[in-house]
Amino acid sequence: MNASVTARGASCPYCTHWSIRVHSRYQRCLSDAAIGGADTLICLRVRKFYCGSPDCARTTFAEQVPGLTTAHARRTPLLRGMLERIALSLGGRPGERLTHRLAVAVSRMTLLRLIRALPIPEPGTVTALGVDDFAFRRGRDYGSVLVDMHTHRTVDLLPDRLNDTFAEWLRVHPGATVICRDRASGYAEGARRGAPDAIQVADRFHLLYNLTDAVDRVVRAHRKCLHDRPASEAVAQPAPAPAVVDGWRAELTRQRWAEVHALWDKGIGHTAICRALNLDDKTVRRYARATSADELLTQALRRGSALDAHTAYLAERWQQGCTNAATLTGDCASAATGAANASSVDCCRPGGTAPHHRPRHR
Ligand SMILES: [Zn+2]
């Protein structure tokens, strides 16, 4: 449809000076919401005016029609608002499909551009603030996500997980009275400096996660005890006192634990720590997971070997001449289930009858 502006003049958008001196005319096309299921294009004839104010930096300006045009826009505010709501509700591809059905077809990239162009809403005052880290690139780059714990909405994203950045954000956005965080020292220090009056609490997720992790480590460390003793006896036994481990290996473990945690508390990622300390990724994760170096040393003491229960039997069989590892493994498994097989014992004795069990001499 064709349209033109009937007003006699227009106000300069820069200095609000009213002008009726027409510089030129041109036509601009605006897409609007569909009418009767058909797409709508408004061909609007508009004018350029001279700005008569001597203080204005602009010589000419184009007139705008309130509610219909904005500077450089090719869609009406009504259609733009509709597309923004579709983009926010459905995202790119599903939104694109819906716009085709509504006769306001745009591409998925247009919808994504509309979302990116939206102003970021101000978080307002957040009284209960949650903070945690997230990975831009797992193992390398981490940021921080801030959440309003009352509405469970994301408030802001920080480019890293350093306590300085978090403290600065809290200073710029005062009002937090409760800060929910993980149990790492980085956010604790940032919260203490940025919001010294706020109460710091460990959030439920991290408490349960840490509890699960701790229980898992304890059960793994005592797995042998659980297998060897009846359940009633195992429960009745008092926990053994942790042994003191000395030696250069123990010293190295303590030193490495301190180095890993010093870097970890600074917010440095796993991979960077691996490179800095020249350690394997699994080793760094094990050190980072341990709450103290003694925990690692105790685990090493209790770990033992799967062969411990069969040492005497294996020594006896070795003396008898059976040195075949596969046969000995089968014998140990049979002994463990109480179903030792006499034929398998005979076959590997010196002069045994099974030709495929050839003794291996070392
Ligand atoms: Zn002006």
Side-chain angles (χ1 to χ4, degrees):
M1 69 178 70
N2 295 311
S4 61
V5 184
T6 57
R8 188 155 177 263
S11 290
C12 173
Y14 306 97
C15 66
T16 69
H17 181 80
W18 180 259
S19 174
I20 57 172
R21 287 183 60 207
V22 177
H23 170 271
S24 57
R25 291 179 171 80
Y26 66 99
Q27 181 169 288
R28 60 187 292 188
C29 294
L30 297 151
S31 297
D32 197 15
I35 300 175
D39 53 351
T40 306
L41 188 67
I42 300 174
C43 297
L44 182 67
R45 192 162 178 77
V46 292
R47 297 162 292 182
K48 264 189 168 182
F49 288 92
Y50 288 106
C51 179
S53 172
D55 301 327
C56 184
R58 300 299 298 257
T59 312
T60 61
F61 64 90
E63 65 178 338
Q64 302 293 342
V65 182
L68 189 66
T69 65
T70 50
H72 310 296
R74 304 183 69 175
R75 298 185 185 90
T76 62
L78 173 67
L79 178 59
R80 185 185 176 96
M82 185 188 295
L83 294 175
E84 284 171 352
R85 283 190 288 276
I86 290 173
L88 290 171
S89 304
L90 299 177
R93 291 183 192 278
E96 179 185 344
R97 287 195 289 272
L98 181 61
T99 60
H100 283 272
R101 301 298 294 269
L102 296 177
V104 288
V106 293
S107 73
R108 63 188 175 89
M109 296 310 296
T110 300
L111 293 176
L112 297 180
R113 273 195 298 274
L114 287 172
I115 292 178
R116 292 194 190 103
L118 285 172
I120 297 173
E122 279 296 315
T125 303
V126 181
T127 53
L129 181 73
V131 58
D132 200 1
D133 58 354
F134 70 95
F136 290 112
R137 194 174 169 196
R138 195 173 173 83
R140 293 179 71 91
D141 299 324
Y142 287 86
S144 301
V145 57
L146 308 179
V147 179
D148 186 336
M149 299 304 285
H150 288 308
T151 61
H152 294 170
R153 282 182 175 276
T154 303
V155 174
D156 207 347
L157 298 175
L158 305 183
D160 52 49
R161 55 182 181 183
L162 300 178
N163 56 39
D164 291 339
T165 311
F166 183 44
E168 183 60 28
W169 191 94
L170 288 171
R171 284 191 206 101
V172 176
H173 302 85
T177 54
V178 178
I179 294 174
C180 304
R181 58 170 178 81
D182 59 12
R183 293 172 61 215
S185 58
Y187 292 131
E189 175 67 14
R192 191 185 61 75
R193 286 164 43 200
D197 298 330
I199 301 169
Q200 297 186 30
V201 296
D203 67 46
R204 187 164 40 188
F205 167 78
H206 285 102
L207 281 177
L208 288 174
Y209 183 82
N210 293 149
L211 175 64
T212 307
D213 196 38
V215 169
D216 183 61
R217 282 203 307 273
V218 170
V219 170
R220 281 177 188 277
H222 292 272
R223 186 172 47 192
K224 186 167 176 291
C225 315
L226 294 173
H227 280 307
D228 289 351
R229 299 177 185 174
S232 56
E233 185 187 345
V235 170
Q237 291 293 328
V244 178
V245 185
D246 288 323
W248 67 271
R249 259 184 203 284
E251 282 306 311
L252 183 64
T253 301
R254 292 190 180 99
Q255 181 190 338
R256 278 182 178 168
W257 182 89
E259 289 170 349
V260 167
H261 275 260
L263 295 174
W264 180 253
D265 288 344
K266 288 180 186 171
I268 297 172
H270 274 113
T271 311
I273 297 176
C274 294
R275 278 200 299 268
L277 302 180
N278 197 23
L279 291 175
D280 179 65
D281 181 63
K282 283 183 182 172
T283 308
V284 169
R285 288 182 188 280
R286 190 159 53 83
Y287 275 74
R289 210 164 42 229
T291 53
S292 69
D294 289 336
E295 183 180 316
L296 291 166
L297 296 170
T298 310
Q299 280 178 4
L301 272 182
R302 289 175 180 164
R303 198 172 296 138
S305 166
L307 293 178
D308 285 352
H310 308 284
T311 308
Y313 176 75
L314 288 173
E316 180 191 342
R317 299 287 292 118
W318 191 273
Q319 291 301 321
Q320 291 172 356
C322 180
T323 54
N324 186 297
T327 306
L328 289 172
T329 304
D331 288 353
C332 289
S334 300
T337 55
N341 189 326
S343 64
S344 71
V345 172
D346 290 338
C347 70
C348 61
R349 281 180 178 154
T353 54
H356 57 281
H357 283 161
R358 188 156 47 88
R360 187 176 62 191
H361 299 288
R362 289 194 291 183

PDB file of all heavy atoms in Angstrom, residues 7-13 16-20 47 49-50 61-64:
ATOM      1  N   ALA A   7       1.631  15.817   7.714  1.00  0.00           N
ATOM      2  CA  ALA A   7       2.059  16.918   8.578  1.00  0.00           C
ATOM      3  C   ALA A   7       2.794  17.967   7.757  1.00  0.00           C
ATOM      4  O   ALA A   7       3.464  17.647   6.768  1.00  0.00           O
ATOM      5  CB  ALA A   7       2.945  16.385   9.695  1.00  0.00           C
ATOM      6  N   ARG A   8       2.691  19.218   8.186  1.00  0.00           N
ATOM      7  CA  ARG A   8       3.296  20.301   7.390  1.00  0.00           C
ATOM      8  C   ARG A   8       4.811  20.332   7.557  1.00  0.00           C
ATOM      9  O   ARG A   8       5.542  20.639   6.628  1.00  0.00           O
ATOM     10  CB  ARG A   8       2.678  21.624   7.853  1.00  0.00           C
ATOM     11  CG  ARG A   8       3.056  22.805   6.988  1.00  0.00           C
ATOM     12  CD  ARG A   8       2.025  23.912   7.071  1.00  0.00           C
ATOM     13  NE  ARG A   8       2.451  25.071   6.286  1.00  0.00           N
ATOM     14  CZ  ARG A   8       3.079  26.144   6.806  1.00  0.00           C
ATOM     15  NH1 ARG A   8       3.292  26.200   8.107  1.00  0.00           N
ATOM     16  NH2 ARG A   8       3.450  27.149   6.037  1.00  0.00           N
ATOM     17  N   GLY A   9       5.271  20.021   8.749  1.00  0.00           N
ATOM     18  CA  GLY A   9       6.713  20.060   9.000  1.00  0.00           C
ATOM     19  C   GLY A   9       7.104  18.921   9.945  1.00  0.00           C
ATOM     20  O   GLY A   9       6.328  17.995  10.181  1.00  0.00           O
ATOM     21  N   ALA A  10       8.333  19.007  10.480  1.00  0.00           N
ATOM     22  CA  ALA A  10       8.810  17.971  11.407  1.00  0.00           C
ATOM     23  C   ALA A  10       9.843  18.580  12.344  1.00  0.00           C
ATOM     24  O   ALA A  10      10.457  19.612  12.026  1.00  0.00           O
ATOM     25  CB  ALA A  10       9.420  16.815  10.632  1.00  0.00           C
ATOM     26  N   SER A  11      10.041  17.935  13.484  1.00  0.00           N
ATOM     27  CA  SER A  11      11.041  18.376  14.462  1.00  0.00           C
ATOM     28  C   SER A  11      12.363  17.682  14.194  1.00  0.00           C
ATOM     29  O   SER A  11      12.404  16.481  13.905  1.00  0.00           O
ATOM     30  CB  SER A  11      10.581  18.051  15.884  1.00  0.00           C
ATOM     31  OG  SER A  11       9.496  18.865  16.239  1.00  0.00           O
ATOM     32  N   CYS A  12      13.439  18.448  14.293  1.00  0.00           N
ATOM     33  CA  CYS A  12      14.771  17.856  14.133  1.00  0.00           C
ATOM     34  C   CYS A  12      15.005  16.876  15.299  1.00  0.00           C
ATOM     35  O   CYS A  12      14.839  17.245  16.462  1.00  0.00           O
ATOM     36  CB  CYS A  12      15.838  18.952  14.140  1.00  0.00           C
ATOM     37  SG  CYS A  12      17.517  18.309  14.145  1.00  0.00           S
ATOM     38  N   PRO A  13      15.409  15.631  15.021  1.00  0.00           N
ATOM     39  CA  PRO A  13      15.610  14.665  16.113  1.00  0.00           C
ATOM     40  C   PRO A  13      16.831  14.981  16.969  1.00  0.00           C
ATOM     41  O   PRO A  13      16.988  14.418  18.040  1.00  0.00           O
ATOM     42  CB  PRO A  13      15.787  13.340  15.373  1.00  0.00           C
ATOM     43  CG  PRO A  13      16.257  13.705  14.017  1.00  0.00           C
ATOM     44  CD  PRO A  13      15.647  15.046  13.700  1.00  0.00           C
ATOM     45  N   THR A  16      15.466  19.207  18.221  1.00  0.00           N
ATOM     46  CA  THR A  16      14.012  19.391  18.372  1.00  0.00           C
ATOM     47  C   THR A  16      13.508  20.696  17.732  1.00  0.00           C
ATOM     48  O   THR A  16      12.404  21.145  18.024  1.00  0.00           O
ATOM     49  CB  THR A  16      13.570  19.344  19.861  1.00  0.00           C
ATOM     50  OG1 THR A  16      14.073  20.508  20.521  1.00  0.00           O
ATOM     51  CG2 THR A  16      14.044  18.077  20.546  1.00  0.00           C
ATOM     52  N   HIS A  17      14.306  21.316  16.867  1.00  0.00           N
ATOM     53  CA  HIS A  17      13.868  22.536  16.178  1.00  0.00           C
ATOM     54  C   HIS A  17      12.828  22.176  15.126  1.00  0.00           C
ATOM     55  O   HIS A  17      13.013  21.254  14.340  1.00  0.00           O
ATOM     56  CB  HIS A  17      15.078  23.219  15.526  1.00  0.00           C
ATOM     57  CG  HIS A  17      14.736  24.489  14.814  1.00  0.00           C
ATOM     58  ND1 HIS A  17      14.561  25.695  15.485  1.00  0.00           N
ATOM     59  CD2 HIS A  17      14.539  24.747  13.493  1.00  0.00           C
ATOM     60  CE1 HIS A  17      14.268  26.628  14.602  1.00  0.00           C
ATOM     61  NE2 HIS A  17      14.238  26.080  13.386  1.00  0.00           N
ATOM     62  N   TRP A  18      11.700  22.884  15.128  1.00  0.00           N
ATOM     63  CA  TRP A  18      10.624  22.632  14.147  1.00  0.00           C
ATOM     64  C   TRP A  18      11.002  23.246  12.807  1.00  0.00           C
ATOM     65  O   TRP A  18      11.439  24.393  12.742  1.00  0.00           O
ATOM     66  CB  TRP A  18       9.315  23.244  14.668  1.00  0.00           C
ATOM     67  CG  TRP A  18       8.160  23.025  13.723  1.00  0.00           C
ATOM     68  CD1 TRP A  18       7.643  23.926  12.845  1.00  0.00           C
ATOM     69  CD2 TRP A  18       7.387  21.850  13.554  1.00  0.00           C
ATOM     70  NE1 TRP A  18       6.597  23.412  12.146  1.00  0.00           N
ATOM     71  CE2 TRP A  18       6.416  22.102  12.568  1.00  0.00           C
ATOM     72  CE3 TRP A  18       7.390  20.579  14.139  1.00  0.00           C
ATOM     73  CZ2 TRP A  18       5.472  21.166  12.168  1.00  0.00           C
ATOM     74  CZ3 TRP A  18       6.451  19.660  13.731  1.00  0.00           C
ATOM     75  CH2 TRP A  18       5.512  19.954  12.757  1.00  0.00           C
ATOM     76  N   SER A  19      10.833  22.470  11.750  1.00  0.00           N
ATOM     77  CA  SER A  19      11.217  22.966  10.429  1.00  0.00           C
ATOM     78  C   SER A  19      10.148  22.624   9.405  1.00  0.00           C
ATOM     79  O   SER A  19       9.548  21.554   9.460  1.00  0.00           O
ATOM     80  CB  SER A  19      12.558  22.343  10.001  1.00  0.00           C
ATOM     81  OG  SER A  19      12.855  22.730   8.670  1.00  0.00           O
ATOM     82  N   ILE A  20       9.923  23.585   8.446  1.00  0.00           N
ATOM     83  CA  ILE A  20       8.990  23.302   7.336  1.00  0.00           C
ATOM     84  C   ILE A  20       9.721  23.442   5.996  1.00  0.00           C
ATOM     85  O   ILE A  20       9.103  23.354   4.944  1.00  0.00           O
ATOM     86  CB  ILE A  20       7.775  24.256   7.376  1.00  0.00           C
ATOM     87  CG1 ILE A  20       8.237  25.709   7.325  1.00  0.00           C
ATOM     88  CG2 ILE A  20       6.926  23.977   8.605  1.00  0.00           C
ATOM     89  CD1 ILE A  20       7.081  26.683   7.153  1.00  0.00           C
ATOM     90  N   ARG A  47       9.887  12.992   3.669  1.00  0.00           N
ATOM     91  CA  ARG A  47      10.646  14.176   3.245  1.00  0.00           C
ATOM     92  C   ARG A  47      11.896  14.353   4.108  1.00  0.00           C
ATOM     93  O   ARG A  47      11.955  13.866   5.239  1.00  0.00           O
ATOM     94  CB  ARG A  47       9.775  15.428   3.393  1.00  0.00           C
ATOM     95  CG  ARG A  47       8.552  15.433   2.529  1.00  0.00           C
ATOM     96  CD  ARG A  47       7.531  16.422   3.011  1.00  0.00           C
ATOM     97  NE  ARG A  47       6.957  16.014   4.295  1.00  0.00           N
ATOM     98  CZ  ARG A  47       6.011  16.681   4.939  1.00  0.00           C
ATOM     99  NH1 ARG A  47       5.539  17.808   4.434  1.00  0.00           N
ATOM    100  NH2 ARG A  47       5.540  16.247   6.074  1.00  0.00           N
ATOM    101  N   PHE A  49      14.140  17.487   5.693  1.00  0.00           N
ATOM    102  CA  PHE A  49      13.996  18.901   6.013  1.00  0.00           C
ATOM    103  C   PHE A  49      15.357  19.515   6.319  1.00  0.00           C
ATOM    104  O   PHE A  49      16.284  18.834   6.767  1.00  0.00           O
ATOM    105  CB  PHE A  49      13.088  19.067   7.237  1.00  0.00           C
ATOM    106  CG  PHE A  49      11.636  18.779   6.957  1.00  0.00           C
ATOM    107  CD1 PHE A  49      11.115  17.500   7.145  1.00  0.00           C
ATOM    108  CD2 PHE A  49      10.770  19.773   6.508  1.00  0.00           C
ATOM    109  CE1 PHE A  49       9.790  17.228   6.897  1.00  0.00           C
ATOM    110  CE2 PHE A  49       9.443  19.503   6.250  1.00  0.00           C
ATOM    111  CZ  PHE A  49       8.947  18.226   6.444  1.00  0.00           C
ATOM    112  N   TYR A  50      15.442  20.818   6.106  1.00  0.00           N
ATOM    113  CA  TYR A  50      16.594  21.581   6.605  1.00  0.00           C
ATOM    114  C   TYR A  50      16.355  21.871   8.079  1.00  0.00           C
ATOM    115  O   TYR A  50      15.246  22.186   8.482  1.00  0.00           O
ATOM    116  CB  TYR A  50      16.725  22.905   5.858  1.00  0.00           C
ATOM    117  CG  TYR A  50      17.211  22.767   4.435  1.00  0.00           C
ATOM    118  CD1 TYR A  50      16.330  22.928   3.369  1.00  0.00           C
ATOM    119  CD2 TYR A  50      18.560  22.514   4.172  1.00  0.00           C
ATOM    120  CE1 TYR A  50      16.775  22.813   2.065  1.00  0.00           C
ATOM    121  CE2 TYR A  50      19.001  22.402   2.857  1.00  0.00           C
ATOM    122  CZ  TYR A  50      18.116  22.546   1.815  1.00  0.00           C
ATOM    123  OH  TYR A  50      18.550  22.429   0.527  1.00  0.00           O
ATOM    124  N   PHE A  61      17.610  16.614   8.048  1.00  0.00           N
ATOM    125  CA  PHE A  61      17.176  15.414   8.775  1.00  0.00           C
ATOM    126  C   PHE A  61      15.962  14.842   8.071  1.00  0.00           C
ATOM    127  O   PHE A  61      15.224  15.550   7.379  1.00  0.00           O
ATOM    128  CB  PHE A  61      16.837  15.752  10.238  1.00  0.00           C
ATOM    129  CG  PHE A  61      15.683  16.696  10.408  1.00  0.00           C
ATOM    130  CD1 PHE A  61      14.370  16.226  10.524  1.00  0.00           C
ATOM    131  CD2 PHE A  61      15.893  18.075  10.437  1.00  0.00           C
ATOM    132  CE1 PHE A  61      13.315  17.112  10.666  1.00  0.00           C
ATOM    133  CE2 PHE A  61      14.841  18.953  10.580  1.00  0.00           C
ATOM    134  CZ  PHE A  61      13.542  18.484  10.689  1.00  0.00           C
ATOM    135  N   ALA A  62      15.772  13.524   8.233  1.00  0.00           N
ATOM    136  CA  ALA A  62      14.609  12.857   7.639  1.00  0.00           C
ATOM    137  C   ALA A  62      13.489  12.804   8.671  1.00  0.00           C
ATOM    138  O   ALA A  62      13.740  12.585   9.855  1.00  0.00           O
ATOM    139  CB  ALA A  62      14.988  11.445   7.210  1.00  0.00           C
ATOM    140  N   GLU A  63      12.277  13.001   8.202  1.00  0.00           N
ATOM    141  CA  GLU A  63      11.155  12.969   9.144  1.00  0.00           C
ATOM    142  C   GLU A  63      10.827  11.524   9.512  1.00  0.00           C
ATOM    143  O   GLU A  63      11.030  10.607   8.712  1.00  0.00           O
ATOM    144  CB  GLU A  63       9.924  13.632   8.521  1.00  0.00           C
ATOM    145  CG  GLU A  63       9.365  12.902   7.321  1.00  0.00           C
ATOM    146  CD  GLU A  63       8.126  13.573   6.771  1.00  0.00           C
ATOM    147  OE1 GLU A  63       7.478  14.312   7.528  1.00  0.00           O
ATOM    148  OE2 GLU A  63       7.827  13.362   5.575  1.00  0.00           O
ATOM    149  N   GLN A  64      10.354  11.322  10.716  1.00  0.00           N
ATOM    150  CA  GLN A  64       9.928  10.013  11.190  1.00  0.00           C
ATOM    151  C   GLN A  64       8.460  10.097  11.586  1.00  0.00           C
ATOM    152  O   GLN A  64       7.997  11.137  12.074  1.00  0.00           O
ATOM    153  CB  GLN A  64      10.751   9.568  12.412  1.00  0.00           C
ATOM    154  CG  GLN A  64      12.254   9.501  12.172  1.00  0.00           C
ATOM    155  CD  GLN A  64      12.645   8.395  11.189  1.00  0.00           C
ATOM    156  OE1 GLN A  64      11.875   7.474  10.933  1.00  0.00           O
ATOM    157  NE2 GLN A  64      13.831   8.519  10.613  1.00  0.00           N
TER     158      GLN A  64
END
